[in-house]
Each structure stands twice: as C-alpha cells, then as structure tokens.
C-alpha cells in the first residue's frame, strides 16, 4: 500500500465493471482527452461493458492487458494500464485533474511497476507520451524513465530495472 497526503491510502485495484459507477462522472471531463486518443464514455452501461472486456483480458495470452483503478479512500483518482508483452510492458496512466501534481501518479505508476515485476518478472518498461503532455513527461522522468526517441507527436521513454 502507498500513503498519500493527509494519511489517506492510495491503492490499485483491478479495474472491473463494478468501478464504472465511480469512474463515469470523472471520465466525462473533456480535459482528460487533450493528450490521449480517446473520448468520454457515452453511458455508464457502455463503460461497464468496456471494463468487462478489459478485465476478461487480464490473464489472456501474449499480450496481456492489465488495467487498475487508482483509489484514494473510496474515491477514483485515475487509472493505470499495462500491455504486457513477452519481455516488456507498455505503460499508460491517467490521473484526474484534482489529483495531479500531488504524487498520485508517481505512487500509482510505481505500484503498477512493482506489481508487474512481482507477477511476471518483466523489468523493461516503455511509455509513449504526447510531446505537449508536460505533466506526464515530468512523471516519467521522476520515475527514472529515459528518453528513447521521438516521432512527430510522441516521445518514447524506457525504463530498465536492474
């Protein structure tokens, strides 16, 4: 478990359809989609189905998809996700606006990395960040991800745990 300011506990749980109710209102914020190619869910029912499909792939064969909700107390603070390949994991994260800049992203991504290492033994991680997404770029650097390369719109970072 990870501790958050004011001694509130930050935890990750596998994202399931049961989380749709608390995630739906947060995911309607259009600011979240400034740097990611996605759009707000059209309904809670649609979101439940999406989460059911994601959870069904939790233990699928190569690649495995893992999605966790970030919870602080009983409130949704965002989500982290990983596409787990044979020898590396591609990571992504979304931290809701009111939790940005407060250590939530760093703690959540660190917890996800530890979980992946523990579960799979994988120690190579990649994240692709839109070049104008300064908060995510800062988070990647804070977690010791190294610049790998950039293309027209994105910067790719890598992390190798020794």
């Amino acid at each position: 478990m990870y501790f958050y300011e004011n001694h509130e506990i930050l935890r990750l749980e596998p994202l399931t359809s049961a989380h749709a109710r608390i995630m739906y209102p947060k995911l309607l914020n259009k600011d979240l989609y400034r740097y990611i190619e996605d759009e707000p869910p059209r309904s809670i029912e649609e979101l439940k189905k999406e989460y059911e499909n994601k959870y069904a792939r939790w233990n699928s064969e190569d690649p495995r998809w893992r999605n966790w909700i970030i919870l602080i107390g009983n409130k949704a603070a965002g989500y982290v996700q990983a596409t787990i390949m044979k020898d590396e994991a591609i990571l992504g994260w979304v931290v809701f606006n009111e939790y940005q800049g407060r250590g939530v992203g760093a703690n959540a991504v660190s917890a996800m990395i530890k979980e992946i290492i523990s579960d799979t033994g994988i120690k190579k991680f990649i994240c692709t960040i839109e070049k104008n997404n300064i908060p995510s770029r800062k988070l990647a650097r804070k977690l010791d991800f190294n610049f790998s390369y950039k293309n027209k719109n994105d910067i790719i970072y890598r992390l190798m745990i020794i």
Side-chain angles (χ1 to χ4, degrees):
M1 279 191 203
Y2 293 84
F3 293 92
Y4 180 65
E5 65 185 30
N6 300 324
H7 305 288
E8 293 179 283
I9 297 173
L10 180 151
R11 68 185 190 283
L12 301 182
E13 289 183 3
L15 189 59
T16 68
S17 60
H19 296 113
R21 180 183 55 74
I22 62 171
M23 291 290 281
Y24 179 73
K26 301 285 190 177
L27 293 171
L28 294 178
N29 183 342
K30 293 193 188 296
D31 287 344
L32 292 175
Y33 305 94
R34 184 179 325 157
Y35 303 117
I36 58 176
E37 293 180 15
D38 205 351
E39 57 187 46
R42 287 180 243 152
S43 67
I44 291 178
E45 292 74 28
E46 178 184 275
L47 190 59
K48 283 181 182 179
K49 286 183 182 184
E50 178 184 332
Y51 288 172
E52 285 172 10
N53 291 335
K54 286 181 178 184
Y55 189 71
R57 296 182 71 182
W58 185 269
N59 288 315
S60 63
E61 291 302 314
D62 197 25
R64 286 176 278 172
W65 291 39
R66 301 282 170 95
N67 297 273
W68 294 268
I69 186 173
I70 305 168
L71 292 165
I72 297 176
N74 61 357
K75 296 179 181 171
Y79 61 89
V80 291
Q81 57 192 26
T83 303
I84 301 172
M85 312 299 264
K86 184 177 181 179
D87 62 352
E88 64 187 11
I90 302 166
L91 309 181
W93 54 83
V94 171
V95 177
F96 298 142
N97 293 353
E98 63 268 32
Y99 295 99
Q100 291 179 4
R102 296 165 56 183
V104 172
N107 282 317
V109 174
S110 293
M112 173 175 56
I113 289 170
K114 288 176 185 175
E115 176 73 21
I116 292 168
I117 292 170
S118 174
D119 187 44
T120 68
I122 289 172
K123 295 183 178 181
K124 287 195 264 183
F125 302 93
I126 299 169
C127 62
T128 300
I129 301 172
E130 201 275 340
K131 66 182 179 184
N132 295 316
N133 188 344
I134 303 303
S136 283
R137 290 172 55 190
K138 285 181 180 178
L139 174 58
R141 288 192 304 272
K142 181 178 184 176
L143 296 175
D144 294 326
F145 278 80
N146 296 303
F147 171 84
S148 182
Y149 65 93
K150 64 181 174 178
N151 59 32
K152 183 178 177 182
N153 297 315
D154 300 314
I155 300 174
I156 291 75
Y157 294 90
R158 295 184 180 273
L159 173 67
M160 176 70 175
I161 307 291
I162 300 175

